[in-house]
Amino acid sequence: MILVRTLSYLMLLAAGVIAADYLHELFQAVPTDAPLQWWMSRATGFVAYIAMWLSMMLGLMISSRGLDGALNRKTVLESHQQWTLAAVLATLFHVAVIVSDPYVDMSWASAVVPGTSSYLPGPVALGALGMWGMVLLAVSSWFQRQISYVLWRAIHTLALGAFILGLLHGVVAGTDSGAQVAQLTYAGTAALLAGAIVFRAVYTPSKGKAARPAPAAAAVEPS
């Protein structure tokens, strides 16, 4: 089952590459010398960002008291884990595309070790830190039963930080961050996540009507 789901996410990434190629052909009329790797890196970067955002939203749904009874928490938890895995896979694919781009001149080591890249050192460091945060979250989710709850909770407090790092990386490193669609994507997802966090923090479900007391046992008349 895990293999089938993993293959499904790889197909999703392949669809992102196909979409990048389609965009590349579609915008041939636009004066630009951007290579195909640029389109691929932007497509996989956005796929990774949206996957992480969905993972965050699903994680908040699991722990939100206001959604008790409205969701199948087992299903939401499984979806949360799968989208976390999708975010990690998309990020690795994103890094692979950038490393293969001769214009960037970046090695795998400089792409995944924060502070070692000569190309956009600050933005790349933000992305690398966010990636390792996602990897740690994914590993802790899949091995939740093998580690203590206290350690699991401590690791998951990093989730918001990893998301913010990914958001900042996309904004400052993306050469298309000035495009309206990119700005709407970043602003909309960040606003929805912030709203979900506030909802989880302040919403207290009503207790509802008091439970009706159970009927007293019928007295047994003496014979």
Side-chain angles (χ1 to χ4, degrees), residues 110-185:
S110 60
V112 300
V113 179
T116 61
S117 173
S118 58
Y119 175 80
L120 298 177
V124 172
L126 292 173
L129 288 171
M131 180 196 69
W132 286 117
M134 283 191 296
V135 170
L136 186 58
L137 289 168
V139 171
S140 67
S141 293
W142 285 104
F143 294 95
Q144 181 177 354
R145 296 182 179 180
Q146 282 71 42
I147 62 178
S148 68
Y149 177 77
V150 173
L151 177 59
W152 179 85
R153 289 296 301 173
I155 293 174
H156 269 65
T157 58
L158 302 175
L160 181 59
F163 175 82
I164 292 175
L165 288 171
L167 174 60
L168 292 175
H169 168 75
V171 171
V172 299
T175 52
D176 56 357
S177 295
Q180 185 178 21
V181 64
Q183 293 175 352
L184 290 175
T185 299

Side-chain angles (χ1 to χ4, degrees), residues 34-59:
L36 178 60
Q37 284 96 333
W38 182 89
W39 296 97
M40 291 175 62
S41 68
R42 300 312 301 142
T44 53
F46 273 110
V47 169
Y49 174 76
I50 295 299
M52 187 174 186
W53 175 75
L54 285 171
S55 173
M56 289 287 297
M57 294 293 288
L58 290 166

